Amino acid sequence: MKTGSLVTSFVNAYYSLTGVPVLGVSASKGGSVIAQWQPGGAYLNDTIRRMHAAFDFCAAHGIVLRHRFLLWCQGESDGDHHTAPDVYAEQFCRMYETLRRENIEHCFLIGIGEYNGPAADISYDAIRNAQYALANHRSDLTVVSRSFETMKVRGLMKDAFHYYQAGYNETGRTAGEACAVFVEKSYPLR
């Protein structure tokens, strides 16, 4: 079930700053936990299959891909299921290393938001902090937006888990702008 998208605002923001088109390969799976993204599992296998199909299409049509990045925003369901932060970090790294072997150069992370439901024992803080700790220790992982963290207090959540489109637009824009700045600084045109 799709409830909103940040992709269009991400692509538009990135393109407006770089002039470089973005080819996005969607592989999102709403409500998934990091354990479902492990090597050999259906979600990661599907992602790799989609990536290769896109790479093959580009090669067959003379489209040159300058870079291959991962834009990652996942973890709320891990908070719902009380995944331990160290387990989340270990499983994220296992998943990401698999994608690195598939020629993904860098991961851009969108931090997860706040739980907005009635359960008193659910918090996303530990998972979000585990994600940010990974970014602090890995040079191939960069946080590009923390906008979702502020959505609950600003009234931009439409239910316990999802945002109004304005929230997705803002997050996509801030992530796209941060990615553009990072790429132009870190990967000068060849």
Side-chain angles (χ1 to χ4, degrees):
M1 181 177 80
K2 192 70 177 154
T3 60
S5 174
L6 60 78
V7 174
T8 302
S9 58
F10 173 88
V11 169
N12 288 341
Y14 184 90
Y15 182 79
S16 72
L17 291 175
T18 65
V20 176
V22 174
L23 170 64
V25 177
S26 176
S28 63
K29 305 290 184 190
S32 64
V33 293
I34 195 66
Q36 294 173 295
W37 288 92
Q38 296 309 289
Y43 290 173
L44 191 55
N45 285 347
D46 181 55
T47 298
I48 292 168
R49 183 191 59 75
R50 289 172 187 238
M51 285 176 12
H52 285 286
F55 300 159
D56 292 347
F57 176 88
C58 289
H61 290 86
I63 300 168
V64 176
L65 297 174
R66 295 179 189 195
H67 302 288
R68 296 172 182 186
F69 300 129
L70 172 67
L71 181 63
W72 186 256
C73 183
Q74 179 277 335
E76 294 91 342
S77 292
D78 286 286
D80 296 339
H81 290 91
H82 306 286
T83 302
D86 59 329
V87 170
Y88 182 90
E90 177 186 319
Q91 291 181 341
F92 173 87
C93 289
R94 189 177 304 127
M95 178 265 319
Y96 182 43
E97 289 305 322
T98 301
L99 292 173
R100 295 275 295 165
R101 287 189 294 276
E102 298 293 333
N103 297 315
I104 294 298
E105 299 170 54
H106 199 92
C107 176
F108 296 112
L109 175 70
I110 296 174
I112 61 174
E114 296 284 336
Y115 174 67
N116 192 37
D121 67 332
I122 294 178
S123 172
Y124 298 161
D125 295 349
I127 299 298
R128 186 181 333 98
N129 291 338
Q131 292 174 333
Y132 294 160
L134 284 170
N136 286 336
H137 293 96
R138 291 189 67 130
S139 62
D140 60 350
L141 178 62
T142 303
V143 176
V144 291
S145 181
R146 294 178 68 142
S147 293
F148 282 148
E149 286 180 58
T150 67
M151 300 289 168
K152 179 179 176 180
V153 297
R154 294 192 294 139
L156 289 171
M157 294 190 73
K158 68 179 181 179
D159 61 29
F161 311 102
H162 303 103
Y163 308 95
Y164 289 109
Q165 189 59 50
Y168 289 114
N169 291 345
E170 176 186 320
T171 302
R173 179 185 48 76
T174 59
E177 291 169 352
C179 284
V181 169
F182 179 91
V183 170
E184 291 207 325
K185 180 178 166 186
S186 302
Y187 297 92
L189 289 177
R190 300 172 200 168

